[in-house]
C-alpha cells in the first residue's frame, strides 16, 4: 500500500488480482476510508528489455544495480542506486518505479542474491532511466503494519 504525502489518498496494489484500488481517508480519529476508484493493470510484458544485471557495491549498504539489454550490451538501459539498512525482518519489495512487476522482480532477485542475507530495508532508491529522467524515492517512514480492510457487502460500484 502506498500513500500520498498529504496522508489523504491511499493506493493498494493487489498483484494477484492485477488491480490498484484508490481510497481516501475520511476521518482521522477513527480510520475510515472511502472507495475512489479501481484500475486493472497488465504487467505480463516488460517495458524495458533486461537480459543482464550487474550489482556494484558503492559503499557500506549502498549498491548500484546496472541493467543491460543483453550480455553483449556495453551501455546500461536502467540504473538503480539503493541505500539499505540492516533490519530484523526481510526486505519489503516496494513497487516504486513506473515500470512493471517483471522488472522489479528481476532487480530485487539480483539484489537479494548479492546481499548477505535478506534482512534489509530500503532507505532510498535513485532511478536513472538512461533517457534523461532521474527520480529519487525515499522510504524513510515505512513501517510494517497489519492491515485489515472491511468492505460493505451491499456496496455496488458506480457504473
Amino acid at each position: 500500500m502506498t500513500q500520498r504525502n498529504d496522508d489523504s489518498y491511499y493506493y493498494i496494489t493487489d498483484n494477484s488480482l492485477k488491480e490498484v484500488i484508490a481510497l481516501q481517508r475520511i476521518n482521522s480519529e477513527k480510520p475510515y476510508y472511502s472507495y475512489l476508484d479501481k484500475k486493472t493493470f497488465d504487467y505480463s510484458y516488460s517495458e524495458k528489455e533486461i537480459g543482464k544485471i550487474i550489482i556494484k557495491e558503492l559503499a557500506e549498504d549502498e549498491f548500484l544495480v546496472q541493467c543491460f539489454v543483453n550480455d553483449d550490451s556495453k551501455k546500461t538501459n536502467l540504473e538503480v542506486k539503493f541505500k539499505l539498512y540492516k533490519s530484523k525482518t526481510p526486505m519489503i519489495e516496494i513497487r516504486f518505479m513506473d515500470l512493471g512487476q517483471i522488472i522489479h522482480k528481476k532487480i530485487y532477485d539480483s539484489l537479494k542474491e548479492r546481499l548477505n542475507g535478506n534482512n534489509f530495508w530500503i532507505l532510498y532508491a535513485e532511478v536513472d532511466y538512461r533517457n534523461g529522467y532521474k527520480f529519487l524515492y525515499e522510504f524513510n517512514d515505512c513501517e510494517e503494519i497489519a492491515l485489515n480492510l472491511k468492505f460493505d457487502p451491499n456496496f455496488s460500484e458506480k457504473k
Side-chain angles (χ1 to χ4, degrees):
M1 182 167 91
T2 59
Q3 89 186 63
R4 285 181 34 164
N5 290 338
D6 62 4
D7 292 337
S8 61
Y9 295 98
Y10 294 81
Y11 300 95
I12 299 171
T13 302
D14 186 328
N15 288 322
S16 62
L17 294 177
K18 297 184 175 166
E19 295 178 338
V20 176
I21 300 169
L23 305 172
Q24 181 177 18
R25 188 176 182 129
I26 301 297
N27 186 340
S28 60
E29 293 171 13
K30 181 179 177 187
Y32 177 77
Y33 301 89
S34 175
Y35 171 88
L36 293 175
D37 192 15
K38 175 175 71 173
K39 294 184 180 177
T40 59
F41 60 84
D42 178 15
Y43 285 139
S44 60
Y45 65 94
S46 182
E47 301 88 342
K48 285 186 174 278
E49 197 62 39
I50 296 179
K52 177 174 88 170
I53 294 178
I54 296 175
I55 310 266
K56 293 182 178 179
E57 188 168 355
L58 303 175
E60 186 178 347
D61 296 333
E62 189 171 75
F63 297 88
L64 177 64
V65 178
Q66 296 178 305
C67 303
F68 300 85
V69 173
N70 56 45
D71 287 340
D72 299 327
S73 301
K74 302 292 183 216
K75 289 185 169 186
T76 59
N77 64 348
L78 177 69
E79 292 185 357
V80 184
K81 182 170 34 170
F82 287 100
K83 177 68 176 170
L84 307 174
Y85 69 94
K86 293 185 188 325
S87 69
K88 294 181 182 180
T89 58
M91 182 183 295
I92 297 172
E93 295 185 12
I94 302 167
R95 193 172 67 82
F96 57 92
M97 294 182 287
D98 62 348
L99 301 174
Q101 191 63 29
I102 293 171
I103 291 178
H104 281 86
K105 181 168 177 30
K106 286 182 178 184
I107 289 172
Y108 280 122
D109 288 351
S110 297
L111 187 60
K112 286 178 183 180
E113 187 178 303
R114 175 73 161 74
L115 297 172
N116 292 327
N118 189 25
N119 290 353
F120 289 89
W121 278 22
I122 302 169
L123 277 178
Y124 72 79
E126 189 176 303
V127 181
D128 184 347
Y129 288 93
R130 307 301 289 160
N131 61 3
Y133 290 99
K134 294 181 181 183
F135 293 93
L136 176 65
Y137 300 91
E138 294 180 298
F139 306 107
N140 51 359
D141 288 332
C142 291
E143 62 180 307
E144 190 172 346
I145 62 169
L147 181 64
N148 186 8
L149 298 175
K150 295 179 184 177
F151 293 100
D152 183 349
N154 299 317
F155 175 80
S156 64
E157 288 186 48
K158 298 174 188 172
K159 302 286 180 191

